[in-house]
């Protein structure tokens, strides 16, 4: 189902033109209009889901096979050196459009792009406490 006021619903369903590199009955893959690198594109389902948590199992099962297919195409055509697959959920995680989508970001030597994440060093017993919390 489309959401009338959703820009990504309009993009995915062809109501607004995109630089489409792939389309099927479930998805449209198009170049990001504000790319991090050359070839940065988005996998956007035609049906509206706010985020991964709301995504149907049927659509979810198709995202990574499609990402792999697009990754191969972009490797063949653009010759990237590395590749990021990014999917943000919630404003705090960097989601700015609340329609599930996946970023495919080809990486090139010296491209200056960053998928920054700072890692922590949990104290003794912290991981075990988290595991217990998750499993209880």
């Amino acid at each position: 189902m489309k959401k009338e006021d959703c820009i990504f619903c309009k993009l995915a369903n062809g109501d607004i033109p995109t630089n489409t590199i792939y389309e099927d009955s479930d998805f449209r893959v198009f170049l990001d209009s504000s790319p991090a690198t050359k070839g940065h594109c988005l996998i956007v389902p035609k049906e509206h889901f706010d985020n991964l948590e709301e995504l149907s199992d049927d659509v979810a099962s198709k995202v990574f096979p499609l990402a792999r297919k697009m990754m191969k195409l972009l490797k063949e055509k653009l010759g990237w050196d590395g590749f990021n697959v990014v999917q943000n959920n919630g404003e705090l995680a960097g989601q700015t459009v609340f329609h599930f989508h996946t970023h495919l970001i080809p990486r090139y030597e010296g491209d200056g792009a960053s998928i920054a994440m700072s890692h922590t060093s949990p104290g003794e017993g912290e991981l075990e406490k988290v595991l217990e919390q998750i499993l209880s």
Side-chain angles (χ1 to χ4, degrees):
M1 173 182 292
K2 287 181 5 179
K3 188 174 177 184
E4 289 304 315
D5 63 343
C6 175
I7 188 77
F8 273 23
C9 282
K10 293 175 183 176
L11 292 165
N13 288 283
D15 300 330
I16 297 173
T18 62
N19 292 301
T20 299
I21 64 169
Y22 176 84
E23 180 180 12
D24 63 23
S25 61
D26 297 308
F27 299 96
R28 184 179 298 263
V29 180
F30 53 88
L31 295 175
D32 192 308
S33 61
S34 296
T37 65
K38 180 176 73 174
H40 175 179
C41 56
L42 304 174
I43 296 175
V44 182
K46 293 181 176 182
E47 188 174 347
H48 184 86
F49 303 94
D50 282 348
N51 52 45
L52 180 60
E53 186 176 22
E54 293 185 4
L55 195 63
S56 73
D57 288 345
D58 177 57
V59 173
S61 71
K62 297 174 183 174
V63 174
F64 267 91
L66 179 54
R68 190 170 140 242
K69 180 178 183 172
M70 294 298 97
M71 188 175 103
K72 288 179 178 183
L73 173 68
L74 295 171
K75 176 73 171 184
E76 176 188 328
K77 301 297 184 176
L78 302 177
W80 49 259
D81 301 309
F83 205 86
N84 292 113
V85 178
V86 178
Q87 203 286 306
N88 302 316
N89 290 275
E91 190 173 343
L92 186 63
Q95 186 177 11
T96 58
V97 177
F98 292 87
H99 178 120
F100 172 88
H101 59 285
T102 303
H103 294 260
L104 304 178
I105 307 170
R107 300 303 302 273
Y108 308 94
E109 189 70 39
D111 65 20
S114 172
I115 306 296
M117 185 181 316
S118 58
H119 295 269
T120 63
S121 297
E124 188 171 327
E126 280 189 59
L127 292 179
E128 290 79 6
K129 287 178 185 175
V130 173
L131 178 63
E132 184 178 315
Q133 184 178 359
I134 292 169
L135 296 179
S136 64

